[in-house]
C-alpha cells in the first residue's frame, strides 16, 4: 500500500509505532545490557533459582516494586510533556527515588544515553531533558512529544524491562532461551493489565513493598564477582 493511501492519521500512527519500536529495541544504544537492577544478586544469593522464580520475581516487581514506580513516573512524564508542564521537579523526584548508588547510576546513565540517541528525531523536548535524567522520565517525555499514546508507551516500556530481566536470567544460566520466550508470552496479559492500571495513577501512588529486592540492589554494590553494573 502506498504511503498516500494510508491517510494522515494512519501514517502518523504507524510512524509513532516505528519510533516506539526503535527506542525500546535491545539494539537502541542505551547500554541496558550492562545492568540487572539488582537481579544478579537475587540469583547469586539463591532467591531466584529457576523459571518459576523468575516469573514470580517479575510479577512482584511489576505489582509492588520498581517496575511499578518506573511506569508511574513514565506516565506522569508523558502527561507533563503533553500539558506543557516543566519536567524539572519530576526529574528530581524520580532521581531521589533510586534505592541505591548503583540504581541511581543505572537510571541516569540509561536516561542520558536514551536522550542522546533519541536526538536523531529532533524535537525541543531533547533540550528540556539535558543533563542527568531518569530513564523512565526520558522515555515518557519523548514518547509524548512524538505523539505516542501513553498506554502504548507504558506497555512497550514494561515489555522492554521484562525482556531485559529475562535476558539477565538467561545470561546467568538460570533459564534457557526456550523458557525465556515462554515467560515473555505468559507476561503479555500481565503487562497489558499493568499498563492500563498504571496509566490512571499519579505521583501520590508511588511506593514500594519489595524490601528484599531493594536491599539486594544495595548488596550488589559490594558483591565480590559480578557480570552486571547493577
Amino acid at each position: 500500500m502506498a504511503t498516500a493511501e494510508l491517510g494522515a492519521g494512519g501514517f502518523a500512527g504507524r510512524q509513532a509505532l516505528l519510533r516506539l519500536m526503535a527506542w525500546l529495541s535491545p539494539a537502541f544504544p542505551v547500554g541496558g545490557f550492562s545492568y540487572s537492577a539488582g537481579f544478579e544478586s537475587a540469583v547469586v544469593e539463591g532467591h531466584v533459582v529457576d523459571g518459576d522464580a523468575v516469573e514470580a520475581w517479575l510479577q512482584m516487581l511489576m505489582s509492588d516494586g520498581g517496575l511499578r514506580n518506573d511506569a508511574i513516573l513514565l506516565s506522569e512524564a508523558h502527561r507533563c510533556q503533553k500539558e506543557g508542564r516543566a519536567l524539572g521537579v519530576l526529574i528530581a523526584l524520580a532521581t531521589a527515588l533510586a534505592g541505591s548508588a548503583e540504581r541511581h547510576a543505572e537510571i541516569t546513565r540509561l536516561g542520558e544515553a536514551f536522550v542522546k540517541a533519541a536526538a536523531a528525531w529532533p524535537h525541543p523536548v531533547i533540550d528540556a531533558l539535558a543533563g542527568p535524567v531518569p530513564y523512565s522520565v526520558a522515555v515518557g517525555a519523548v514518547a509524548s512529544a512524538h505523539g505516542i499514546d501513553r498506554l502504548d508507551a507504558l506497555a512497550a516500556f514494561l515489555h522492554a524491562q521484562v525482556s531485559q530481566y529475562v535476558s539477565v536470567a538467561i545470561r546467568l544460566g538460570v533459564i534457557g532461551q526456550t523458557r525465556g520466550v515462554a515467560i515473555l508470552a505468559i507476561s503479555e496479559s500481565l503487562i497489558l493489565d499493568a499498563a492500563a492500571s498504571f496509566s490512571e495513577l499519579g505521583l501520590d501512588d508511588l511506593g514500594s513493598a519489595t524490601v528484599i529486592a531493594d536491599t539486594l540492589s544495595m548488596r550488589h554494590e559490594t558483591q565480590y564477582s559480578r557480570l552486571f553494573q547493577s
Side-chain angles (χ1 to χ4, degrees):
M1 181 181 293
T3 299
E5 295 176 337
L6 293 174
F11 177 77
R14 288 168 176 80
Q15 186 180 51
L17 174 62
L18 289 177
R19 291 178 180 180
L20 187 59
M21 291 169 61
W23 295 335
L24 295 174
S25 163
F28 203 63
V30 297
F33 60 85
S34 299
Y35 303 98
S36 80
F39 191 50
E40 183 175 19
S41 288
V43 173
V44 169
E45 298 194 18
H47 296 277
V48 177
V49 297
D50 55 23
D52 290 343
V54 172
E55 287 183 35
W57 193 266
L58 291 174
Q59 291 176 6
M60 173 191 67
L61 292 180
M62 200 174 304
S63 62
D64 300 298
L67 287 180
R68 178 180 182 276
N69 279 344
D70 285 344
I72 293 173
L73 292 166
L74 185 154
S75 184
E76 184 65 18
H78 193 287
R79 290 193 195 95
C80 286
Q81 174 62 30
K82 185 175 182 179
E83 296 169 4
R85 290 186 278 137
L87 292 163
V89 173
L90 181 62
I91 290 172
L93 173 62
T95 303
L97 288 174
S100 67
E102 280 189 357
R103 277 293 286 161
H104 178 275
E106 176 183 349
I107 64 174
T108 54
R109 288 172 183 169
L110 288 176
E112 287 187 88
F114 178 83
V115 173
K116 181 178 179 180
W121 291 264
H123 191 282
V125 71
I126 298 299
D127 294 330
L129 296 170
V133 55
Y135 183 49
S136 57
V137 174
V139 173
V142 171
S144 179
H146 288 270
I148 294 171
D149 179 77
R150 187 167 73 252
L151 265 176
D152 290 343
L154 279 167
F157 177 82
L158 289 172
H159 183 271
Q161 296 303 296
V162 169
S163 297
Q164 170 62 13
Y165 277 103
V166 168
S167 175
V168 170
I170 291 173
R171 282 182 280 170
L172 290 173
V174 179
I175 57 174
Q177 292 182 332
T178 300
R179 184 59 189 273
V181 171
I183 291 175
L184 290 178
I186 292 171
S187 298
E188 285 183 355
S189 59
L190 176 66
I191 288 170
L192 292 175
D193 289 345
S197 173
F198 298 154
S199 69
E200 302 300 323
L201 301 183
L203 297 182
D204 288 342
D205 299 296
L206 288 167
S208 173
T210 53
V211 177
I212 292 177
D214 295 338
T215 302
L216 287 171
S217 178
M218 300 177 196
R219 289 161 71 112
H220 189 269
E221 296 173 3
T222 58
Q223 188 170 300
Y224 173 71
S225 177
R226 54 188 183 176
L227 294 178
F228 300 92
Q229 294 184 42
S230 71

